[in-house]
């Protein structure tokens, strides 16, 4: 699926961010929404949630006894239900400063998310980050994220070979690599460090400060 940039227009070196788990500390809200969607009456424990973070989406669905054919329907309903939780979701500590720093350096920034565009734009507005992002692309499928990335890349005339995707899941590594983007994985989101390490991202960051330093170091290379 790797794409060679179209020859027309000026291509931009950019950073594309995932949203849930990467910018927004939304894992607790996502767990609560999933419990409501599936009618679970007892809450998952912290130990169970920590174990889930070591799994891929297919592995997680198997562990939760959810058929893969139900996932698109659950995702659609979940986006609507998550809207009610958005006000209570914090920005990951350090991510506001990271985004503002990159914006101040005039780095073109984008969001691409499985969450809805409306939810993400609303959230960024509340946290006074909207001005930092050139565009938000929401509604990405869990399993066809690479296609949505390609749409963003084509629409925004992004220089694939010199741009980055920042995400918190193993599927982010797979999607970014399929397109040809560099990939920076963060360990504070859905997937744990051990799971992300197995996919060998270009950058593996444990803090936003680590991520910013790594991006600044590689940016002009």
């Amino acid at each position: 699926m790797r794409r060679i940039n179209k020859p027309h227009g000026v291509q931009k070196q950019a950073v594309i961010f995932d949203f849930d788990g990467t910018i927004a500390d939304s894992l607790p809200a996502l767990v609560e929404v999933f419990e409501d969607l599936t009618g679970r009456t007892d809450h998952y424990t912290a130990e169970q949630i920590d174990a889930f973070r070591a799994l891929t989406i297919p592995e997680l669905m198997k562990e939760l006894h959810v058929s893969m054919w139900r996932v698109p329907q659950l995702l659609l309903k979940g986006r609507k239900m998550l809207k009610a939780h958005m006000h209570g979701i914090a920005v990951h500590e350090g991510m506001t400063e990271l985004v503002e720093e990159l914006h101040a350096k005039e780095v073109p920034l984008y969001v691409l998310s499985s969450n809805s565009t409306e939810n993400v734009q609303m959230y960024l507005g509340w946290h006074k980050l909207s001005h930092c992002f050139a565009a938000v692309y929401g509604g990405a499928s869990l399993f066809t994220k690479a296609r949505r990335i390609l749409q963003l890349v084509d629409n925004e005339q992004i220089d694939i070979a010199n741009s980055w995707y920042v995400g918190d899941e193993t599927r982010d590594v797979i999607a970014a690599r399929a397109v040809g983007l560099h990939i920076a994985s963060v360990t504070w989101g859905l997937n744990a460090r051990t799971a992300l390490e197995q996919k060998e991202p270009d950058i593996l960051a444990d803090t936003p400060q680590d991520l910013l330093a790594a991006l600044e170091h590689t940016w002009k290379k």
Side-chain angles (χ1 to χ4, degrees):
M1 189 176 288
R2 191 178 295 265
R3 177 71 57 85
I4 299 174
N5 281 125
K6 297 177 181 179
H8 62 81
V10 177
Q11 297 173 356
K12 294 174 288 188
Q13 188 180 5
V15 178
I16 304 168
F17 286 90
D18 176 58
F19 176 72
D20 287 300
T22 301
I23 294 174
D25 187 10
S26 49
L27 182 57
L30 292 171
V31 170
E32 186 174 342
V33 167
F34 182 79
E35 289 173 343
D36 291 342
L37 278 171
T38 56
R40 186 178 176 89
T41 55
D42 54 328
H43 298 298
Y44 292 109
T45 65
E47 291 76 16
Q48 287 175 309
I49 294 171
D50 193 50
F52 294 159
R53 295 181 66 233
L55 305 176
T56 63
I57 293 295
E59 290 170 341
L60 179 59
M61 293 300 100
K62 183 177 180 179
E63 179 69 20
L64 297 175
H65 306 290
V66 175
S67 299
M68 293 302 294
W69 65 265
R70 289 190 62 199
V71 171
Q73 180 185 27
L74 291 174
L75 181 61
L76 182 61
K77 291 183 178 179
R79 287 173 186 150
K80 296 177 181 178
M81 294 173 64
L82 191 59
K83 184 176 182 179
H85 294 261
M86 297 300 289
H87 257 303
I89 297 174
V91 179
H92 272 292
E93 186 176 355
M95 284 303 292
T96 295
E97 293 78 7
L98 179 146
V99 167
E100 290 177 341
E101 179 70 16
L102 291 177
H103 176 66
K105 293 179 182 295
E106 299 185 344
V107 178
L109 305 179
Y110 298 86
V111 173
L112 187 140
S113 176
S114 297
N115 206 326
S116 72
T117 300
E118 179 187 6
N119 283 351
V120 176
Q121 289 176 332
M122 183 172 58
Y123 183 91
L124 295 176
W126 291 336
H127 293 278
K128 297 180 172 57
L129 289 173
S130 295
H131 68 285
C132 295
F133 292 94
V136 172
Y137 286 69
S141 167
L142 285 178
F143 306 109
T144 59
K145 201 166 191 177
R147 294 180 187 175
R148 189 69 165 146
I149 294 175
L150 281 177
Q151 182 183 24
L152 186 159
V153 165
D154 286 346
N155 289 351
E156 306 296 337
Q157 284 293 291
I158 288 175
D159 178 6
I160 292 177
N162 293 295
S163 295
W164 288 81
Y165 189 88
V166 180
D168 65 316
E169 300 181 47
T170 56
R171 69 188 180 101
D172 293 328
V173 181
I174 295 169
R177 284 256 167 81
V179 172
L181 289 167
H182 298 290
I183 175 67
S185 294
V186 301
T187 62
W188 54 80
L190 178 61
N191 280 135
R193 170 178 259 276
T194 52
L196 294 166
E197 281 178 329
Q198 295 177 17
K199 298 299 181 183
E200 299 182 339
D202 300 297
I203 292 173
L204 187 58
D206 293 312
T207 69
Q209 293 75 24
D210 292 340
L211 175 61
L212 180 59
L215 286 175
E216 288 179 333
H217 178 70
T218 64
W219 187 248
K220 297 302 180 182
K221 289 187 177 180

